Amino acid sequence: MLSGLPPTSVKSGLSCTEVRIKTMKILRKIAGVIVCGLVAINAVRAALLLEEHFSYPDGNLGAAGIGDTVWTAGDSPSAALRVSSTAALSYPGLMGATGSGIIYSGTTFKKRSAPFPAQSNGTVYVSFLLNVQTPPSSTKLFAWLHNAGGGTSSPGLGLFLNGYELGIAKYGSSPTATTNIGPGTHLVVARYTFQTGNDRVDLWVDPPSMGDNNNVPPPTLTTGTANQNDISALSYLVLNHGISQALWLDEVRVGTTWADVTPVEAPLPAPRPPRLTRAWLGPHGLAIEGTNSIPNTPYVVLVSTNPALPLVQWQPVSTNIAGPTGEFAWTNRVDPAMPLQFFSVFVGTELPMAPQILAQPVDLAGPVGGAVTFSVSASGTPPLWYQWFFGAAAIPGRTNATLVLSNLQSSDTGAYW
């Protein structure tokens, strides 16, 4: 029996600055007032050549209504390349993971191709998330960039897999450099560089930094410059299935810069520093006044008896709108019978909501060689992040709301949470 225990490792991102104002001398039951500012921003990125989240119904890639307007070339749709919500992948910090993913399965040689505007100079990047469920037993191309959407044994930039060995080549039928990626979900980035003399290809696996063109980390693998063959242009991304294996692939991006294909969740800028100008205990209760809030935007007053709790766990007691110059004021009755209270003024565009499990995973049983899928549902201010555990150990790369265990063995029996 595989036990699905309640997951406790769902987190929500929140960043803000707190300013503590001590009022113990003047407020008998009030321990402090915290003023917190938060400003939301939207990320701005260059247009991608191709972006694919596989937000389609489950079914064969390229079939009617299942990516047929994007994946327009290659073989006819086949279950060898199948859109499935089971294969939806995410990666810590990577922006915009949504939709479903692609499952490579079976033994049929099939491919689907997506065109993008032809590039013949500069750099072309491709990125995707990859999870090897059942590794192939020999080396095969599983994805490539080329100038045509049909079959080829030597694409301009080829990505190969043999077991857990991920390889890359320029205009080659076998990898010229490889690295072991292991189980779990990985962010894979490859780059083709058009240059005087021999062109170059590079590969990154789980890069230490993302989203910054001025901070591109050294590649995991570099190859291609010794090969005299160069391609004239790149205009297709091809997904190719050609051997018995089970791969999950998701979140595909093709662009001309590092930041295009490794977008990160937009960080919060330095918060506005709202200032508390007065806090006093008057005839009507606690009163506060302040300035430098965000003009004409909401602020929320929160209360808690435990100042150590995260702000998302405080209780809102009042919502109001700051004035045209950012001023704010609030009065609230203080009940002498209440325990020691702490008040907070949250200034910003959205009050964060604490993560909360809505549906717990349930116990499952599966036959040897079979598969089971645990799932959990949670709410809260996004982005939400999950971590699945087997016993006391975190399962690397399993950070989605679902946990799929395939090819079950007796050693897989235990508690999952």
Side-chain angles (χ1 to χ4, degrees), residues 139-141 152-155 158 160 168-176 227:
T139 302
K140 291 293 181 182
L141 280 162
T152 180
S153 60
S154 300
F160 301 80
I168 191 172
K170 184 192 74 170
Y171 233 128
S173 58
S174 60
T176 51
N227 188 334

Side-chain angles (χ1 to χ4, degrees), residues 92-117:
L94 186 68
M95 177 186 287
T98 186
S100 296
I102 292 294
I103 296 180
Y104 289 59
S105 63
T107 58
T108 306
F109 281 78
K110 288 290 183 179
K111 65 188 66 66
R112 295 300 297 175
S113 309
F116 56 85

Side-chain angles (χ1 to χ4, degrees), residues 256-349:
T256 59
T257 70
W258 175 260
D260 283 347
V261 301
T262 62
V264 295
E265 297 289 350
L268 294 171
R272 294 176 64 93
R275 291 192 296 270
L276 189 69
T277 57
R278 297 180 66 195
W280 71 98
L281 191 61
H284 301 291
L286 172 67
I288 61 173
E289 291 180 354
T291 62
N292 205 38
S293 178
I294 305 172
N296 303 311
T297 58
Y299 65 90
V300 181
V301 182
L302 310 171
V303 66
S304 175
T305 58
N306 181 4
L309 288 176
L311 207 61
V312 295
Q313 296 183 23
W314 291 40
Q315 296 299 312
V317 293
S318 176
T319 300
N320 218 320
I321 303 295
T325 62
E327 71 276 13
F328 58 91
W330 173 77
T331 300
N332 189 62
R333 178 178 176 272
V334 178
D335 186 348
M338 290 290 291
L340 193 65
Q341 292 175 297
F342 297 79
F343 286 84
S344 171
V345 181
F346 181 88
V347 178
T349 57

Side-chain angles (χ1 to χ4, degrees), residues 216-237:
V216 180
T220 308
L221 301 174
T222 297
T223 185
T225 54
N227 188 334
Q228 300 300 314
N229 295 319
D230 293 328
I231 198 158
S232 59
L234 296 173
S235 56
Y236 277 88
L237 170 65

